[in-house]
Amino acid sequence: MSQLDTLKSAIKDRLGELECVIGWEQGYDPLHATPLFIRTEADLDRLIIGPLAVHNLATYLTAYKGKKIGVVVKGCDSRSVIELLNENLISRDDLVIFGLCCDGVVSQRKIRAALPADPGFVEAVDISANGLKITVAGQTAMLNMTDILADKCRTCQHPNALISDVLIGENRQSASSTSLACQEEFEAKSDAEKFAFWQETMSRCIRCYACRNACPMCVCRDYCIATSRDPLWVSQDNSPAENFMFQMIHVSHLAGRCTECGECERACPVDIPLMLLRRFMNKQVQDVFEHQAGTDLEQTPPLLTFKVEEERINERGW
Amino acid sequence: MQIFDLAAADHAFIAEVQARSHQDIKTCYQCGNCTAGCPYTFAYDYSVSQIMRLIQTGQKDAVLKSRSIWLCGSCQSCTTRCPNNIDVALIMDVCRHMAREAGYATERAVKVFADSFLNSVSRYGRAFELGLMTEYMARSGRIFTDVDLAPSALMRNKLPFKPHRIQGRDQVARIFERFRKGGAHA
Amino acid sequence: MPAQDVRELRIVGFLCNWCSYGGADTAGVGRFSQPTDLRIIRVPCSGRIDPLFIVRALLNGADGVLVSGCHPRDCHYAEGNFYARRRLELLKRFLPVTGFDARRFEYTWVSASEGQRWQHVVTEFTRRIHELGPAPNFNPASEMDWNALALHAAQGQTCPCHG
Amino acid sequence: MRIGVFICHCGSNIAGTVDCPSVAATALTYPDVVFSTDTMYACSEPGQDAIIQAVKEKNLDGVVVASCTPRMHEQTFRRAVERAGLNRYMFEMANIREHVSWIGKTKDLNTNKAAELVRMAVEKLRRNRPLFAKRFETVKRVLVIGGGVAGIQAALDCADGGQEVVLVEREQSIGGKMAKLDKTFPTVDCSSCVLGPKMVDIAQHPNITLYTCSEVESVGGYVGNFQVTIRKKATYVDWSKCTGCGLCVEKCPSRKHPDTFNEGLCTAPSINIPFPQAIPKKAAINAASCIMLTKGKCGVCAKVCPVKCIDFEQKDELVTVDVGAVVVATGYDLFDWHKYPQYGEGRYKDVITSMQYERLLSASGPTGGHIKRPSDGKEPKNVVFIQCVGSRDRSVNRPYCSGFCCMYTAKQAILTKDHVPDSQSFVFYMDIRSPGKMYDEFTRRAMEEYGAQYVRGRVSMIYPQDDKLIVRGADTLAGTQVEVPADLVVLAVGAESARGAVQLGEKLRVAPDQYGFFVESHPKLKPVETNTAGVFLAGACQGPKDIPASVGQGSAAASKVLGLLSKKELESDPAVSRVNPGRCVGCGKCVQTCPFGAIKMIEDRFGNPKAEVIDTVCQGCGICTVTCPQGAIQLEHFTDNQILAEVNALCPPKMFANFE
Amino acid sequence: MHNIAYYPGCSGQGTSTEYDRSTRAICQALDIALTDVEDWSCCGSSPAHTVNHVLSAALSARNLAQVEAMGMTRVATPCPSCLSNLRTATHKMKDPDFQSKANALLDTPYRNTVDVQSVLQVLAEHVDPEYIKSKVVNPLTGIKIACYYGCIMNRPPALMQFDHHENPMAMDNLMAAIGAEVVPFPLKVECCGASFGIPRGDIVHKLSGKLLDAGRRLGADCFVTACPLCQMNLDLRQGQINDALHENFKIPIFYYTQLLGYALGLDRAELGFEKLCVDPRRALGKIKQPAQTR
């Protein structure tokens, strides 16, 4: 039985007790997936998994608070679930988790860049272990998986769901590399270069809040302080500084909580590389608090606790 | 006794002592601990703590002309026990430097001995005891200094008749030469 | 209002009421002279200081931000500075990726009795900020700069990740 | 909003380096400011009246005063605006004295800074809103920590004032340092004759519960409602039965451990009553030296005890009490003179501390009140006293004056002559500090009537020569070195903070200064208050003090406690956190971080979890406000918007709109 | 095996050759390899620092630069005066301003990479006392010794960073380890009169006389010292002291290295007892022979 069939049958077994089960289906063309809310067995036919199933479905969980639902998660998505559970934002009793062992997902951005021109509507996609064969307007292009793999998958340390009621597939190895060249390159730049980079990038930001809305950990929703008058942290002025302030709020509220699923960056319509901020912050959290969000059900987010003697914080000589 | 005009304090002198010694003269509260521990007090004209006081009140002449600054043996007892962490022995040293530069030598024999010693070093690279004694006796006029010890010392071969001339004595001589030219202060 | 005088840079201080604000008062009572650049915002506890206040100040053009609270273990509210230490340390370490010079932000501990220490902290931090000079504006300073930036952004630019 | 601004000159304190009229003029250009003036002394009665008058005449609904630190006069001005009919929180202060005029020398920079601080205050005030205090009841009981003379006085005064008192003492008996003293200055009356009756009063007072051999384990709660846990350490004697007959003390075969009450001058039995006047007069076992407790055999005391009160199985016990106020009277410790190696570091037996000398002088001491030197029991003829051992000495980190050593040394010199008429005392001193009633006269008597030879200078070293100790010091008045061949050297050791003071301060949230003495709320105006409401200081825990000052402070602290607890209810500070239930998502992060347990989770009418603040428990630290990502819980008077307004006042954002 | 650069100091070539030789002998016996600083020169001694600190530092630094040129990082000297000068130079030259001034006087600049210790410190801190005990062949049983350290071996403590500044014990421990009875000499760090012997002999007579008196009161058979200048003042000038103070001291003043060498059974010729002015034979005679001890 294929992984997909095993998953379908597992969902079928539990569907009766659940409001719905969240998975993926094909979107507007064969290259794009979209979330699928499975309510009946008939819906199950449309379920897909694999490299196109990019969405972190944990993002939807808080909206179903109080209802019993199921969710399909990849390894990275499962970290978000754990973090939400640790922060009491969802209840374990109301959740059935179908965990996957994941081989990685694609970056649509990289696919677009790898194709000679914007493909528009894709006619067919043939998925193999090596890559994707994409047919657009009768023309076929073969894209290597290594070229189009999402950044987060290149350094993925948790390919298998860390929490699940049903785990499907065989355990996958975590990636050997833990660092990304683009991240290191950026961090090595001078303050002035980085400053100029964000100035420019933030002048592109249209503050559509797609990054926030896609984020599984952004649970404030309608009460985000970036869009409130009381408190009034960010003005309506569309200036780089105000846009950056919003991003700083986002990064600050994710400190010690971000599971690095990459949804913010994926959702950004103007291609702002938000993960530069996330990955750097997470590295600091790891360095100071030896904490990696969403990897352990017993952990306390580092900013909600303290130690009297902080071994890794040095008094600066004043 | 000498009467000091406190209004005529030499502030430049105070500042110079402080700058050269990197010590804060004002922190001395005259507890006398330096004097209490100083083995040389019996030979001084002003006790150590009085020297400190005279510096505090800017009495340059009294300090630089005193015997005490020449008779300090740099034994560090004052520095070690000062409740205010003042390096008193260093201040005594600095006063002696300033007295030399000002041309004072109230304890002339002490100065001549130091000069003779350094001349010896400058000449041979190392101290040549018999040589420096000779120079000292000639320059101080105290030709009978320690003659009583000579037989005892000579009998035991404690005083070589020839200086040890080191190869790098030119290097050592150049140290003195550059020092005299540059007049390095510190 | 921006620092009006070229002799001054804009330094914002966030001080807890019980220790550091008291320490600054003690320095004042002792007439320990200090540079005038610093403007102090009083908060009850260093635990009240949201790192985002500091970010806000920097984005608004502050040249330096100084935070001071009670020494660890001495917090009037027992634990406030322990939380503050974590939050502020993380901000301090995070700033480099934003391009803000992390030296423009500092946090330390000064008790109500440490007037001289406060004088030292203020003097040293102000000296540091003057060495760094005025902070660059995140928002363009003139209309022309605005237009240049907009043009540059519109032309698209090379992003390190999506190259 | 209609805001009035008052710029105080504070005489020349502010006006000396700040152009106050110009600041007032600038303030008038700020938003909502309708009235602005400068005033000579804003805190004076005419100054306050002028504020009240302006509020009424100009119809103000908010006031900014720019003057000294709010830590000084915020309350004063809040009361003033309240008298003017405004809510007391519709007031802000700009600190242009401690933070401007006293630290900056350049007038134009100071003036600009003052104007900006006023702007900041105005911007904050524009976002203030009236706040109203809640009332809560207080527990009518007081905890006194420390049973020295200050604690005894505080306990008795509180008890006489009708409050219940719990007195906790670390040692076996109350009495503290004073109980060890032979006589007291400047009257040379017997210490135990003065203190003894007070100790008995403690034992007999119906309002006082005494715990000795006990320490404060933890403190929770807040003014009016503290919860205190006390650890009663095991004494291995059931004190409810012990009659203090002393039979066990007599028979105990283990008598080798140093007698701490006698400052180690002699040894004590392992079961002991420290001194005849001890309160409570009960025996206790020293577990470290007791043969039964260390080796498992002996039990002589248990056999001889007529009431069978020995209990080798006894364990520490924790007792919890609720109190409305706390008096800290933990006293001081003596400087460890071994930090002066030049005094022999203990190699010379006849170099002793002043407290050891008290025990030698005391009739209840190990020598029965005869001065015998430790090395050979001989009566000393030349006795040298060295003052400032561990005082006024930066090299041992004790730059402060301990205050009482000059006086007790004079007393000991006098007593030395009384005890040994053909003796000669030498006192090495730096300065004589005797500013008290009859104090200086007393030191003069030591010199004039008792012939004590006062030598102005420190002692550099002590070394033995035959059976004498050569004390080499300075006589700075003679300008030279001096030596005294002494039979006994008494070191006037200074005071340092009591061991454990810093840890106790952490429990009570009372900050120690850099030397471990507790910091009072204000050095002049609030000498016994601390910055933690309901916690008061008495005696030498706040700084070195002699007996009269300690007793005075004990009474002062008691009067503060009685004043506090005389109110039926207390008002809580309304500057506490408040939850906006609309924004709260019920994640409970605020509950998790609150150090006081002041936030609880409730359900709204739709069954959604929401946070709620318990007003009287909240201390107003604001940790929760920073924790909440939605900004749903805001610390009143220090809300995000209020602080952001201050930030924006100092660093106005550069708006795109500015260029349009 | 420790390999350390060795700076003998000028007096080791003259008035205190026995100290130099016995030091070399015991170091060899205790597996400490000493390599002489090549073509070393005088550190300047007290006269230099009383004239100028830069000059003094430069004279010392020339030797320390020689040590650097030898590729070594530790130098030991038997003489406290040299020790004090070398360490002071090292300390002062941590200040870059001072360092450049001192280096300006030198042909070869000193980079300040050398740690300076006394031979006594090397013995006290790097040689196991049990090891020394195991090598003793003539235990000093029966002799009473006053250990005299002199004023600058341990002071000021912040600079010297060795042993105790009021009651040093390094020599006491060494002497006890080789079987001697050590009296609690109270004036271990009092000054003997230092270099005033020649210009102001009266000072030395008084100060050294006081030391001899304190030793005699404690019944010491002899002194041991670690300082050539102290030794000279107490030994060579003992006759002058007796004349000046109308005393009759006959207390031999050993270098600690001589007695240590004696206990280790080293060749007498290396120990130079014959160089002492006050006849040591009576004191040495107090030592019980091994046969008697058994």
Side-chain angles (χ1 to χ4, degrees), chain D residues 46-356:
Chain D
Q48 293 189 43
D49 288 345
I51 293 170
I52 293 167
Q53 198 188 348
V55 169
K56 290 180 175 156
E57 282 177 6
K58 311 286 177 190
N59 204 14
L60 304 177
D61 44 22
V63 170
V64 169
V65 173
S67 58
C68 51
T69 171
R71 287 160 55 94
M72 178 87 128
H73 275 315
E74 192 169 51
Q75 294 303 332
T76 312
F77 291 120
R78 279 182 177 173
R79 281 193 293 270
V81 300
E82 209 163 39
R83 287 205 301 281
L86 299 182
N87 182 276
R88 51 164 59 199
Y89 288 91
M90 299 308 287
F91 165 76
E92 283 298 327
M93 237 173 138
N95 182 350
I96 63 168
R97 193 178 75 177
E98 282 83 350
H99 292 188
V100 181
S101 69
W102 277 353
I103 59 165
K105 295 198 176 79
T106 320
K107 193 159 187 174
D108 60 334
L109 292 180
N110 278 358
T111 304
N112 179 42
K113 181 172 177 179
E116 290 191 22
L117 294 186
V118 171
R119 164 140 201 168
M120 213 168 84
V122 167
E123 289 294 342
K124 167 144 196 288
L125 178 60
R126 291 176 70 208
R127 285 151 185 88
N128 283 11
R129 66 183 193 90
L131 301 174
F132 301 94
K134 292 229 165 110
R135 300 180 158 273
F136 62 94
E137 289 194 359
T138 59
V139 178
K140 307 294 179 197
R141 189 180 296 120
V142 53
L143 169 72
V144 178
I145 308 172
V149 68
I152 287 173
Q153 187 67 37
L156 288 175
D157 285 359
C158 288
D160 287 345
Q163 299 297 336
E164 275 185 49
V165 175
V166 175
L167 176 59
V168 175
E169 166 60 46
R170 179 160 65 185
E171 303 297 331
Q172 193 178 340
S173 168
I174 58 169
K177 297 280 187 294
M178 187 176 171
K180 297 187 178 188
L181 304 182
D182 177 39
K183 301 274 178 7
T184 58
F185 61 79
T187 44
V188 202
D189 47 357
C190 160
S191 184
S192 58
C193 311
V194 182
L195 184 65
K198 279 189 181 288
M199 290 167 62
V200 173
D201 285 351
I202 292 278
Q204 296 179 344
H205 205 294
N207 283 355
I208 297 178
T209 312
L210 175 62
Y211 295 103
T212 63
C213 287
S214 298
E215 291 191 60
V216 171
E217 180 91 354
S218 66
V219 181
Y222 51 96
V223 58
N225 293 280
F226 293 105
Q227 292 87 42
V228 181
T229 308
I230 298 162
R231 177 177 291 273
K232 286 172 69 184
K233 287 173 281 184
T235 58
Y236 308 99
V237 175
D238 181 348
W239 281 7
S240 65
K241 294 187 202 156
C242 177
T243 60
C245 70
L247 209 52
C248 53
V249 179
E250 223 170 276
K251 301 288 184 200
C252 176
S254 159
R255 319 181 74 90
K256 286 202 187 119
H257 78 274
D259 184 339
T260 48
F261 185 79
N262 280 312
E263 297 284 313
L265 285 169
C266 57
T267 58
S270 286
I271 186 163
N272 198 18
I273 299 171
F275 56 105
Q277 304 84 354
I279 296 289
K281 196 169 179 183
K282 308 282 182 189
I285 294 179
N286 178 322
S289 66
C290 169
I291 303 173
M292 187 69 183
L293 289 170
T294 53
K295 302 205 175 87
K297 54 187 179 198
C298 182
V300 170
C301 48
K303 282 177 210 129
V304 301
C305 177
V307 293
K308 299 296 166 213
C309 65
I310 310 292
D311 175 9
F312 291 115
E313 302 298 313
Q314 202 180 67
K315 297 274 179 296
D316 287 7
E317 194 186 328
L318 294 177
V319 182
T320 306
V321 288
D322 291 345
V323 298
V326 180
V327 176
V328 188
T330 47
Y332 66 98
D333 270 331
L334 293 168
F335 176 79
D336 175 11
W337 64 277
H338 292 85
K339 287 176 188 160
Y340 288 96
Q342 60 266 43
Y343 296 162
E345 293 182 300
R347 290 193 301 281
Y348 315 139
K349 281 190 174 169
D350 296 328
V351 178
I352 62 173
T353 69
S354 47
M355 193 56 103
Q356 289 177 317

Side-chain angles (χ1 to χ4, degrees), chain D residues 485-634:
Chain D
D487 299 301
L488 183 66
V489 178
V490 180
L491 305 178
V493 285
E496 59 185 24
S497 60
R499 118 190 103 83
V502 173
Q503 291 78 353
L504 180 66
E506 282 173 23
K507 291 172 189 164
L508 291 164
R509 301 196 297 279
V510 174
D513 66 15
Q514 57 183 314
Y515 305 109
F517 294 109
F518 295 125
V519 177
E520 65 282 5
S521 206
H522 188 282
K524 295 177 189 69
L525 304 179
K526 293 182 174 179
V528 297
E529 290 94 327
T530 68
N531 280 334
T532 299
V535 179
F536 303 93
L537 304 175
C541 65
Q542 179 261 352
K545 260 174 214 67
D546 63 6
I547 293 167
S550 298
V551 172
Q553 266 209 345
S555 286
S559 85
K560 289 286 167 189
V561 169
L562 293 174
L564 178 77
L565 299 185
S566 69
K567 296 178 192 131
K568 192 168 176 302
E569 290 178 320
L570 293 180
E571 275 192 358
S572 67
D573 186 340
V576 295
S577 287
R578 194 157 310 287
V579 178
N580 176 347
R583 299 186 72 83
C584 176
V585 301
C587 66
K589 291 185 174 115
C590 49
V591 179
Q592 205 172 337
T593 54
C594 176
F596 306 101
I599 310 173
K600 60 182 178 192
M601 294 304 291
I602 54 161
E603 279 189 3
D604 69 4
R605 57 200 172 97
F606 307 108
N608 297 316
K610 299 285 173 187
E612 190 177 81
V613 175
I614 312 163
D615 278 19
T616 50
V617 182
C618 176
Q619 300 292 296
C621 64
I623 295 174
C624 54
T625 309
V626 184
T627 305
C628 178
Q630 299 90 266
I633 186 164
Q634 291 285 337

